[in-house]
């Protein structure tokens, strides 16, 4: 295992003195520790008290961050006719039909998000194994009749979150260059959405552990109780 640099180790030492932080404290500290030569992404990791093996307790959702994510995803749109035109005008990076299916089957994967018009799903269905979690899905808001709206929302900061097999939710809430206020407001929107997605069958403490970090920096743990109280004040 590689060793961390002196700056990283010094940052870890200051975090240990802080202990469990409030969202405001944690995000301010993450900004201070982001020292890479590029604009680091700020990520949130939330450990949930659910049965990750139960399909009834899946936690997922779609949010529009008030200040965007700081990233414009590369969007592929499967559409024909007017839907294709709408997707192009909204900023989709690649728009196509069956020929695009063949291109992806051939191994092309230079994109982040895939959306599709409903009438294209029969053709797109062949790409299930290729696309994996990027497969267009009505529940994820990536299949619909108004592709222009879907693409615009994705380009402007719409974020999808989905619990992994270990019961964790990971999501990006912005860049280190964002102000602390912008990051905390984005954080609140994400946390509120996760809280509202709590399965009815989930028992006990729902928010088990929350941490935030930048791409190259150490994580800062947030007190779940403080985080919940903070998010609730933003409603």
């Amino acid at each position: 295992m590689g060793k961390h640099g002196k700056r990283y180790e010094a940052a870890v030492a200051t975090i240990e003195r802080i202990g469990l932080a409030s969202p405001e404290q944690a995000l301010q500290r993450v900004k201070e520790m982001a020292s890479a030569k590029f604009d680091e992404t700020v990520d949130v990791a939330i450990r949930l008290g659910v049965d990750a093996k139960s399909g009834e307790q899946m936690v997922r959702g779609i949010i529009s961050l008030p200040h965007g994510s700081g990233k414009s995803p590369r969007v592929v749109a499967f559409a024909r006719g007017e839907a294709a035109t709408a997707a192009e005008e909204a900023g989709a990076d690649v728009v196509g039909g069956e020929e695009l299916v063949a291109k992806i089957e051939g191994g092309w994967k230079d994109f982040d998000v895939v959306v599709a018009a409903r009438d294209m799903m029969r053709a797109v269905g062949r790409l299930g194994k290729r696309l994996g979690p990027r497969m267009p899905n009505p529940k994820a808001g990536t299949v619909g009749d108004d592709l222009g709206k879907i693409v615009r929302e994705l380009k402007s900061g719409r974020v999808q979150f989905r619990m992994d097999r270990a019961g964790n939710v990971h999501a990006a809430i912005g860049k280190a260059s964002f102000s602390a206020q912008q990051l905390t407001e984005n954080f609140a929107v994400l946390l509120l959405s996760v809280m509202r997605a709590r399965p009815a069958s989930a028992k006990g403490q729902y928010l088990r552990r929350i941490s935030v970090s930048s791409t190259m920096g150490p994580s800062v743990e947030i007190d779940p109780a403080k985080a919940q109280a903070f998010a609730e004040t933003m409603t």
Side-chain angles (χ1 to χ4, degrees):
M1 182 180 294
K3 293 183 178 180
H4 292 295
K6 292 182 179 180
R7 185 177 298 177
Y8 184 99
E9 296 295 346
V12 171
T14 62
I15 292 171
E16 291 174 348
R17 291 196 293 270
I18 293 173
L20 289 177
S22 67
E24 300 96 325
Q25 290 173 324
L27 289 164
Q28 181 60 48
R29 193 72 191 95
V30 166
K31 276 180 58 65
E32 293 169 354
M33 294 187 297
S35 57
K37 294 181 180 180
F38 60 91
D39 195 5
E40 299 180 50
T41 297
V42 177
D43 294 299
V44 178
I46 306 172
R47 180 67 181 271
L48 300 175
V50 299
D51 181 359
K53 296 180 180 180
S54 171
E56 295 181 354
Q57 294 195 21
M58 168 56 68
V59 176
R60 67 189 302 169
I62 302 168
I63 56 174
S64 291
L65 297 174
H67 303 290
S69 65
K71 178 183 178 181
S72 181
R74 293 165 296 177
V75 179
V76 164
F78 285 96
R80 306 186 188 95
E82 293 182 0
T85 300
E88 288 176 349
E89 292 177 347
D93 298 271
V94 180
V95 180
E98 283 77 3
E99 77 285 357
L100 189 52
V101 172
K103 185 175 181 179
I104 293 176
E105 285 180 323
W108 182 67
K109 51 184 178 182
D110 188 22
F111 51 86
D112 300 305
V113 184
V114 181
V115 301
R118 295 184 193 280
D119 63 354
M120 288 297 302
M121 284 306 295
R122 178 170 294 183
V124 178
R126 306 204 311 259
L127 299 174
K129 292 183 178 180
R130 287 278 186 184
L131 295 176
R134 292 184 293 182
M135 182 71 181
N137 187 319
K139 291 183 179 180
T142 48
V143 176
D145 299 317
D146 191 346
L147 278 196
K149 179 181 179 182
I150 293 173
V151 173
R152 281 192 296 273
E153 289 180 348
L154 287 167
K155 288 288 189 177
S156 64
R158 194 180 84 175
V159 173
Q160 176 187 358
F161 63 86
R162 178 187 173 91
M163 184 181 72
D164 63 22
R165 295 180 180 179
N168 302 305
V169 167
H170 298 271
I173 59 167
K175 296 288 186 176
S177 60
F178 282 24
S179 70
Q181 182 67 23
Q182 289 174 321
L183 288 173
T184 54
E185 290 176 1
N186 279 357
F187 172 84
V189 169
L190 169 65
L191 190 63
L192 276 172
S193 186
V194 172
M195 289 163 54
R196 289 168 178 164
R198 175 174 181 158
S201 56
K203 306 297 183 182
Q205 183 179 352
Y206 180 55
L207 300 176
R208 294 285 181 86
R209 188 173 181 177
I210 305 173
S211 64
V212 292
S213 63
S214 63
T215 305
M216 303 298 291
S219 62
V220 181
E221 287 204 46
I222 296 176
D223 185 321
K226 291 180 181 178
Q228 181 170 340
F230 169 75
E232 289 172 345
T233 64
M234 302 294 286
T235 57

